[in-house]
Amino acid sequence: ATPNINGTVAIEDGIVNAQNFEFGGASTNLTMTGGRFITSRTGPSPTMGGDYNITAGTVEFANNSATAQTIRGTADRQYFNIDVTGSNVANSSGRIRIGSGGILTVVNGGTLRLSSFIDGNGSVNIQEGGTFLISDVNGINSSNTNGSVRVDGTRTYSPLANYGFF
């Protein structure tokens, strides 16, 4: 069942593992100043559809089912750290923004299927054994003005990761 959260979910420390359950609704806000929020729910995640104020901490996308989990993203939502640990993770409504000092990481066994782009002041790290699939015709390049990765921070692409177009 969806917890009836009408205001803001605030994570300061520790781990909140929502598993495959809805955790908040369309108007629920998410504030993170630390800690880890783990979600493995299919469809747009986190289920909090309100404002995001994430200045630290990690949102982990851990879906391994046949139906994709999508990272909720828009121009006005910004994440700090994102860990893609699930094997069927994609992006949702638009780009994924990473804040200054934050990192989007695709770990060994994780798959990110990106139909838009990643931008912001943060960094991207595709680790050994991770899979990064993109659809942008400009691919992956060193520019932060086009392509699938447009971050101002560091870009790390393991030569032992898996890359592809769809």
Side-chain angles (χ1 to χ4, degrees), residues 35-53:
R36 177 176 288 268
F37 179 74
I38 304 169
T39 175
S40 56
R41 181 182 183 277
T42 60
S45 295
T47 55
M48 298 86 146
D51 295 330
Y52 286 23
N53 182 15

Side-chain angles (χ1 to χ4, degrees), residues 21-46:
F21 298 104
E22 291 185 31
F23 194 82
S27 62
T28 306
N29 304 314
L30 174 61
T31 296
M32 288 183 72
T33 56
R36 177 176 288 268
F37 179 74
I38 304 169
T39 175
S40 56
R41 181 182 183 277
T42 60
S45 295

Side-chain angles (χ1 to χ4, degrees), residues 80-105:
F80 190 70
N81 293 317
I82 291 178
D83 284 351
V84 175
T85 61
S87 61
N88 195 2
V89 179
N91 69 300
S92 181
S93 51
R95 66 191 189 201
I96 301 169
R97 295 187 59 89
I98 304 298
S100 181
I103 302 172
L104 183 148
T105 303

Side-chain angles (χ1 to χ4, degrees):
T2 303
N4 187 8
I5 302 168
N6 293 317
T8 299
V9 172
I11 301 171
E12 298 174 0
D13 196 8
I15 298 172
V16 176
N17 188 348
Q19 299 178 9
N20 62 347
F21 298 104
E22 291 185 31
F23 194 82
S27 62
T28 306
N29 304 314
L30 174 61
T31 296
M32 288 183 72
T33 56
R36 177 176 288 268
F37 179 74
I38 304 169
T39 175
S40 56
R41 181 182 183 277
T42 60
S45 295
T47 55
M48 298 86 146
D51 295 330
Y52 286 23
N53 182 15
I54 303 174
T55 57
T58 301
V59 179
E60 178 180 338
F61 295 88
N63 177 54
N64 289 313
S65 80
T67 304
Q69 174 182 38
T70 54
I71 299 172
R72 188 183 294 273
T74 61
D76 60 342
R77 268 193 195 97
Q78 180 170 277
Y79 294 89
F80 190 70
N81 293 317
I82 291 178
D83 284 351
V84 175
T85 61
S87 61
N88 195 2
V89 179
N91 69 300
S92 181
S93 51
R95 66 191 189 201
I96 301 169
R97 295 187 59 89
I98 304 298
S100 181
I103 302 172
L104 183 148
T105 303
V106 179
V107 305
N108 184 357
T111 297
L112 177 59
R113 182 182 176 103
L114 188 66
S115 60
S116 185
F117 59 91
I118 304 164
D119 73 348
N121 296 318
S123 300
V124 169
N125 180 10
I126 311 301
Q127 295 181 346
E128 175 182 336
T131 299
F132 189 49
L133 305 172
I134 59 173
S135 66
D136 192 305
V137 296
N138 293 306
I140 301 171
N141 58 49
S142 60
S143 169
N144 67 354
T145 59
N146 63 26
S148 293
V149 180
R150 303 178 188 182
V151 295
D152 293 332
T154 304
R155 303 157 193 224
T156 305
Y157 304 106
S158 170
L160 299 175
N162 304 297
Y163 303 94
F165 288 95
F166 67 94

